[in-house]
Amino acid sequence: RRVHGHCGEYQKALTAYRALLEDPSPDPTLHLHVACCLHALGQYKDAETEALQGPAVHLQNRLLFHIAHKFNDENKLMVHHQKLHETLEDQLSLAAIHYFRNHFQEATDIYKRILLENRDYLALNVYVALCYYKLDYYDVSLEVLNVYLQAHPQSAVAVNLKACNSYRLYNGQVAEQELKVLLDLQSVAYKFESALVAHNQVVFKNGENALQVLPPVLDLIPEARLNLVIFHLRHEEVQEAYQLIKDMEPVTPQEYMLKGVVNASIGQLTDSREHIKMAQQYFQLVGASASECDTLPGRQCMASCFFLLKQFDDVLIYLNSIKSYFSQDDDFNWNMGIAQSAAGQYKEAVETLLGVKSDRYRLEYCYLSWLARGYIMAQQPKKAWELYLKM
């Protein structure tokens, strides 16, 4: 029974535990084990009902603590939080909840404290590395992760996390090479890990096979929905992206940003002021937040917010502050060029728009119109005429 549970075969374990409950005088703690299986299977209401039939021990409290989180029941969450003790299991449970609620520094502090007292608990290094990854400290995450990988070089979770760090630090090709260890050994035994590796391969390969891989794991891997939305946006399938994200309540900065992008896109497509206003609010929430205001995405968000408000002088303040990081980025130069032109900086706008290399932009009527306007206002009408003749 425990073997099934540890191997991720929760349905088999559940069947075995329920069979034991058929005994004339079953051990009441079996209800807690059944609840654990139901929780792992995502059947949280049934898990709660089963857990309440078990004895009032620490395991029951931890289970109800996690179920309260799943139901977003803050009152119950605090009740069970106050019942936690300084035991190893309770503290690990608390760290997990911090992680799920995006309190990554608090989770890191607990894991590091436990590691100081128990150096042989090597797997905790993976948890610490996960937290550092979420905090955008990719190099630190790799350093901590290597402690575990030296002992377990074929760990699917650890190798996958190393690949994700490499993707953030370098590029998709480097990340793919990291995953090759798993693919060559075919050592990914569990459904979740198999799905996670397949999901990450889609990301590393810039969306290849997205429509085959991502839809089946939307409820298994939270990032899958976001990456499928990004895939649809890149292929100008705005309605499909909107349908995927319209009912999602954003929690992380990335989710707020993506909600902003999708609402801005659907607003421009349907001429909806309501969606444009929602997009502006999402961007402002991220860009003005204490954690994101000085990051590159945070400043991009504020630029987008002011762009939608048509306050182009403010747009340029933010774009100029991050210009050195995006000098070769066509999307950035396109937005920068429009903002410069709208703010009356026509000479700079022409230079910036000419820096756009992609034919996807350069062949568009909108691009040619803005460039022609820039030429005219910069006292270069001949170049504007030559551009017009090529249209």
Side-chain angles (χ1 to χ4, degrees):
R1 300 179 296 274
R2 286 183 180 274
V3 171
H4 286 313
H6 288 306
C7 288
E9 297 173 336
Y10 304 114
Q11 190 60 54
K12 290 182 180 179
L14 178 61
T15 302
Y17 284 129
R18 279 185 164 154
L20 289 172
L21 278 171
E22 296 295 323
D23 289 348
S25 300
D27 183 345
T29 59
L30 287 170
H31 288 289
L32 300 180
H33 297 309
V34 168
C36 287
C37 294
L38 290 168
H39 182 276
L41 291 166
Q43 299 173 30
Y44 304 119
K45 190 64 184 174
D46 292 340
E48 182 180 39
T49 301
E50 200 72 41
L52 290 170
Q53 295 181 56
V57 294
H58 292 181
L59 175 58
Q60 185 200 55
N61 185 61
R62 290 195 297 272
L63 261 170
L64 295 173
F65 184 40
H66 279 257
I67 291 167
H69 163 70
K70 291 295 184 181
F71 287 139
N72 292 316
D73 190 325
E74 292 293 319
N75 291 328
K76 286 185 179 179
L77 190 80
M78 292 310 299
V79 167
H80 296 297
H81 185 186
Q82 290 167 3
K83 293 180 181 179
L84 292 174
H85 294 77
E86 289 298 318
T87 63
L88 176 65
E89 293 84 358
D90 278 11
Q91 288 303 299
L92 287 174
S93 182
L94 176 59
I97 291 296
H98 278 312
Y99 181 89
F100 292 143
R101 291 165 71 85
N102 301 311
H103 303 157
F104 302 117
Q105 190 57 59
E106 290 86 343
T108 303
D109 292 342
I110 294 174
Y111 289 136
K112 288 171 76 173
R113 188 177 72 243
I114 295 172
L115 262 175
L116 282 173
E117 300 168 359
N118 305 274
R119 290 287 184 184
D120 55 333
Y121 290 0
L122 287 180
L124 289 182
N125 287 287
V126 179
Y127 299 165
V128 174
L130 269 169
C131 292
Y132 279 128
Y133 174 82
K134 290 290 190 177
L135 289 165
D136 297 341
Y137 296 133
Y138 307 118
D139 48 351
V140 179
S141 178
L142 273 178
E143 184 180 338
V144 175
L145 189 61
N146 281 331
V147 175
Y148 183 77
L149 280 169
Q150 286 172 7
H152 303 281
Q154 297 177 14
S155 163
V157 172
V159 171
N160 184 69
L161 180 55
K162 184 178 182 181
C164 292
N165 277 305
S166 297
Y167 176 72
R168 293 292 189 178
L169 288 169
Y170 308 110
N171 54 53
Q173 287 183 322
V174 175
E176 273 190 87
Q177 285 301 115
E178 298 290 357
L179 275 188
K180 201 169 184 295
V181 175
L182 296 182
L183 300 175
D184 288 348
L185 293 169
Q186 295 185 329
S187 62
V188 186
Y190 306 136
K191 178 184 175 183
F192 175 74
E193 291 167 345
S194 300
L196 187 61
V197 170
H199 165 273
N200 287 347
Q201 278 188 295
V202 169
V203 177
F204 300 160
K205 293 181 178 179
N206 206 28
E208 184 178 317
N209 297 321
L211 294 178
Q212 290 74 39
V213 175
L214 299 184
V217 298
L218 290 181
D219 296 325
L220 186 64
I221 302 171
E223 292 85 352
R225 183 174 300 274
L226 305 184
N227 285 316
L228 188 55
V229 169
I230 292 169
F231 174 85
H232 284 307
L233 288 175
R234 285 177 174 170
H235 289 79
E236 300 182 3
E237 297 164 352
V238 178
Q239 288 289 356
E240 288 85 345
Y242 178 68
Q243 290 303 317
L244 275 169
I245 206 171
K246 65 177 183 178
D247 296 324
M248 185 190 80
E249 287 297 325
V251 176
T252 66
Q254 291 78 15
E255 290 169 351
Y256 277 99
M257 283 186 266
L258 202 52
K259 288 275 282 192
V261 171
V262 172
N263 274 283
S265 300
I266 203 77
Q268 291 172 334
L269 186 69
T270 62
D271 197 26
S272 166
R273 287 302 308 163
E274 181 185 352
H275 284 293
I276 294 293
K277 185 177 180 180
M278 288 174 65
Q280 176 255 315
Q281 290 171 343
Y282 283 129
F283 288 136
Q284 188 171 21
L285 279 169
V286 176
S289 68
S291 62
E292 300 296 319
C293 63
D294 290 324
T295 67
L296 294 177
R299 295 192 176 201
Q300 285 177 298
C301 281
M302 284 309 298
S304 298
C305 169
F306 285 123
F307 205 111
L308 294 175
L309 290 169
K310 299 183 179 180
Q311 297 177 17
F312 295 105
D313 288 330
D314 293 318
V315 172
L316 292 174
I317 289 173
Y318 283 96
L319 292 186
N320 279 317
S321 73
I322 58 176
K323 183 179 179 180
S324 60
Y325 296 95
F326 297 98
S327 59
Q328 302 302 314
D329 187 290
D330 282 344
D331 294 329
F332 181 86
N333 286 329
W334 168 234
N335 289 322
M336 182 80 157
I338 293 176
Q340 287 170 326
S341 187
Q345 300 178 16
Y346 300 111
K347 182 180 178 182
E348 294 85 349
V350 167
E351 292 175 1
T352 303
L353 289 172
L354 289 174
V356 174
K357 305 301 180 188
S358 170
D359 286 340
R360 183 171 68 89
Y361 279 124
R362 294 178 71 92
L363 296 175
E364 279 187 1
Y365 174 77
C366 191
Y367 170 85
L368 296 170
S369 298
W370 277 105
L371 184 56
R373 174 183 171 82
Y375 279 137
I376 293 169
M377 301 305 289
Q379 309 302 314
Q380 300 179 60
K382 185 177 180 181
K383 289 186 177 180
W385 179 248
E386 290 171 353
L387 191 66
Y388 169 75
L389 292 176
K390 293 176 182 177
M391 292 172 64

